[in-house]
Amino acid sequence: DTGVSQDPRHKITKRGQNVTFRCDPISEHNRLYWYRQTLGQGPEFLTYFQNEAQLEKSRLLSDRFSAERPKGSFSTLEIQRTEQGDSAMYLCASSPQNPSNRIGGARGGSEQYFGPGTRLTVT
Amino acid sequence: AQKITQTQPGMFVQEKEAVTLDCTYDTSDPSYGLFWYKQPSSGEMIFLIYQGSYDQQNATEGRYSLNFQKARKSANLVISASQLGDSAMYFCAMGRRALTFGSGTRLQVQP
């Protein structure tokens, strides 16, 4: 399987605990994204990396959240002092920097391929 | 800021018929992409189709086509010859890197 993988698939934790999620992107993709999806809503952007550089962060990403991509390959998302409001599906996606066969090149962005997600439940 | 609006919370369609899922957007960026994703009950987000803001022709991918009307800021998804396996949530999204998603439309295909 050469798609995006995420680990763990499910995580149940008690309020106040720290949790860490891992994402392995498609190997030739240099862009990696994190999103959060709550029940009945579309995904919300959290942050993205180009190679190892974190280039954009949403204001949803409070000080308790931190993401890394140390070698430009896999990424981790850590939530410290979890709260019940952190309960959600955390989705990772990856994309190539320069999509091929695209009229106008990459001006309109690249399609993002999503992993299966990590469902976090904070009790 | 970017905004995506999907006004149809739920849609029903008969198997083998075509269905259009509506999407309107708002942005001040001159260059952007429009995307449609499918999310079955299993939860994974599946990329369906892409339309660039500079593209002159509407995008097509198999049974999926995107009706792009730039002046009206709409990017409707048309699914032809619906199949039972098309039953899922469908999300419209836009952006260049950070994608903004709509609230989704739940499509149910009836036999």
Side-chain angles (χ1 to χ4, degrees):
Chain A
D1 186 9
T2 57
V4 178
S5 61
Q6 292 186 247
D7 183 70
R9 295 290 305 276
H10 303 274
K11 179 70 176 180
I12 300 174
T13 191
K14 292 185 177 180
R15 188 176 54 186
Q17 297 295 305
N18 298 344
V19 294
T20 300
F21 310 140
R22 176 179 170 128
C23 171
D24 286 87
I26 294 171
S27 58
E28 61 267 28
H29 288 180
N30 64 344
R31 290 181 176 167
L32 186 147
Y33 311 80
W34 286 98
Y35 292 84
R36 181 178 70 185
Q37 185 178 24
T38 53
L39 202 60
Q41 301 297 318
E44 297 172 293
F45 169 77
L46 294 177
T47 189
Y48 103 92
F49 293 83
Q50 181 165 307
N51 299 312
E52 66 275 9
Q54 188 174 18
L55 296 186
E56 190 171 345
K57 293 194 291 186
S58 162
R59 55 187 166 82
L60 293 176
L61 213 66
S62 75
D63 291 345
R64 297 184 297 106
F65 288 70
S66 63
E68 294 182 342
R69 195 183 183 198
K71 296 182 180 180
S73 56
F74 72 92
S75 175
T76 58
L77 177 68
E78 180 183 17
I79 309 174
Q80 296 181 327
R81 305 181 303 281
T82 52
E83 302 173 355
Q84 287 187 319
D86 297 332
S87 295
M89 177 75 85
Y90 289 84
L91 296 166
C92 177
S94 69
S95 72
Q97 181 171 353
N98 295 309
S100 59
N101 302 321
R102 176 68 51 77
I103 296 172
R107 286 184 296 174
S110 308
E111 55 268 29
Q112 298 176 18
Y113 296 91
F114 283 80
T118 294
R119 182 167 294 284
L120 173 66
T121 302
V122 182
T123 61
Chain B
Q2 299 175 333
K3 185 177 180 181
I4 292 281
T5 302
Q6 295 181 254
T7 58
Q8 306 155 313
M11 290 281 286
F12 289 90
V13 65
Q14 290 294 122
E15 196 177 6
K16 300 181 184 178
E17 292 186 349
V19 62
T20 298
L21 306 184
D22 294 341
C23 173
T24 57
Y25 63 90
D26 192 21
T27 183
S28 56
D29 290 340
S31 176
Y32 50 89
L34 293 156
F35 307 82
W36 277 92
Y37 285 85
K38 172 184 178 182
Q39 189 173 42
S41 56
S42 53
E44 74 271 27
M45 295 285 288
I46 302 169
F47 166 73
L48 296 178
I49 194 166
Y50 162 90
Q51 179 84 42
S53 58
Y54 288 99
D55 294 346
Q56 298 295 314
Q57 293 185 323
N58 287 341
T60 60
E61 289 286 350
R63 295 187 298 111
Y64 304 107
S65 60
L66 201 153
N67 184 0
F68 179 46
Q69 298 187 45
K70 192 170 183 177
R72 299 180 63 181
K73 294 188 175 180
S74 73
N76 299 339
L77 177 70
V78 180
I79 305 175
S80 63
S82 296
Q83 301 172 356
L84 295 177
D86 293 335
S87 294
M89 282 290 289
Y90 288 81
F91 291 98
C92 180
M94 74 171 300
R96 295 184 63 190
R97 284 172 274 286
L99 295 184
T100 300
F101 285 80
S103 55
T105 296
R106 181 170 297 282
L107 176 66
Q108 295 185 60
V109 181
Q110 297 176 320

